Amino acid sequence: MNNNDVFKKLRVALQLRDEQIIEILELVDFRIGKPELNAFFRSQDHPNFMECGDQVLRNFLNGLIIHLRGTKEEPKNAMDVIAKNRDAVNNRPKTSKTAAKPSTSKPNSSSKNNAKFKKQAPKMEVVEKVKFNNGKKK
């Protein structure tokens, strides 16, 4: 088992997203970009795979301690932090491609015919109407 496997298993077990991992690493003043972080989680045969070094894993574990336990001045309960992360993951909006598309009563009808009979919701003006000249003088 290498550092990449350990990092992946911790990420899944604690239900951490990329942004949270970056924040945890910043707690110990270790800066890393999202593309570099994603390279650690790729499969080994992927061309952009990168081996996770000891320094990255060590800094993540030290940052994880601060993230979960807090500091001496401001201690935290680790289970509260984990529950908060779990709730954030569970309450995330679903972005599935098959999400709740209403079915029509006539599956073979064209979309143009359906557009004629659908009731249009009243449009709400959010911004005042603005006329753009696109740099042209009147």
Side-chain angles (χ1 to χ4, degrees):
M1 181 177 261
N2 60 14
N3 289 344
N4 292 60
D5 295 333
V6 173
F7 207 177
K8 285 179 195 177
K9 290 184 184 294
L10 284 170
R11 178 185 184 201
V12 171
L14 298 173
Q15 298 178 346
L16 297 173
R17 288 179 275 142
D18 293 341
E19 296 84 19
Q20 291 173 319
I21 293 173
I22 291 171
E23 289 173 8
I24 289 170
L25 287 168
E26 287 178 354
L27 289 174
V28 290
D29 295 328
F30 189 81
R31 311 251 186 284
I32 191 169
K34 197 170 182 180
E36 188 177 3
L37 182 66
N38 287 330
F40 296 141
F41 301 123
R42 298 185 187 276
S43 64
Q44 289 185 352
D45 58 344
H46 194 278
N48 293 335
F49 171 78
M50 194 164 67
E51 189 72 32
C52 180
D54 292 337
Q55 182 181 12
V56 176
L57 188 61
R58 182 185 72 238
N59 283 310
F60 174 72
L61 292 173
N62 288 334
L64 190 62
I65 291 169
I66 294 171
H67 176 72
L68 294 176
R69 291 187 199 165
T71 59
K72 286 184 179 182
E73 295 82 25
E74 297 177 29
K76 297 180 189 176
N77 184 354
M79 292 309 293
D80 292 340
V81 176
I82 293 171
K84 181 180 163 187
N85 286 344
R86 186 180 326 118
D87 291 341
V89 169
N90 291 338
N91 294 334
R92 228 177 16 193
K94 307 252 182 195
T95 57
S96 174
K97 292 182 180 179
T98 60
K101 188 174 181 181
S103 62
T104 59
S105 59
K106 298 177 185 177
N108 294 333
S109 63
S110 68
S111 61
K112 290 181 182 179
N113 291 339
N114 287 340
K116 291 179 187 177
F117 299 109
K118 285 185 181 178
K119 289 186 179 180
Q120 295 292 328
K123 293 184 179 180
M124 295 175 53
E125 296 271 339
V126 178
V127 180
E128 296 178 14
K129 292 186 179 180
V130 179
K131 184 176 180 183
F132 293 99
N133 294 333
N134 294 331
K136 297 178 185 175
K137 295 182 181 177
K138 288 185 177 183

